[in-house]
Amino acid sequence: DPAEWNDDTKGDARVLSAPVFGEDGAIAMALTLYGFPRPPSNGVDIYISHIIEAAARVSESLKRHSR
């Protein structure tokens, strides 16, 4: 993955991760996406958006199930 993250280099990313938070707000796990097709210029933004949304849903599910 790029050593420096910016709009010019983020299209070179091959692995994306997003934290999943537990009920106490601490990181419980991470979701990682790899092996995705090389996106068109700046197309990695859609992958970033999806993994952040998925991590937020898992975080909410953990909070609901721990009550």
Side-chain angles (χ1 to χ4, degrees), residues 1 6 8 18 24 30 32 36 43-45 54 60-63 66:
D1 283 31
N6 60 47
D8 294 330
D24 61 357
T32 301
F36 49 89
V44 74
D45 290 335
E60 283 303 312
S61 180
L62 288 177
K63 290 176 187 173
S66 65

Side-chain angles (χ1 to χ4, degrees), residues 11-64:
D12 295 332
R14 303 280 34 105
V15 176
L16 299 172
S17 293
V20 173
F21 298 97
E23 180 182 21
D24 61 357
I27 296 174
M29 66 182 84
L31 298 184
T32 301
L33 177 65
Y34 64 94
F36 49 89
R38 185 180 187 103
S41 178
N42 290 329
V44 74
D45 290 335
I46 192 69
Y47 296 131
I48 294 169
S49 176
H50 285 312
I51 198 165
I52 289 171
E53 290 171 13
R57 287 193 304 270
V58 175
S59 295
E60 283 303 312
S61 180
L62 288 177
K63 290 176 187 173
R64 282 194 308 272

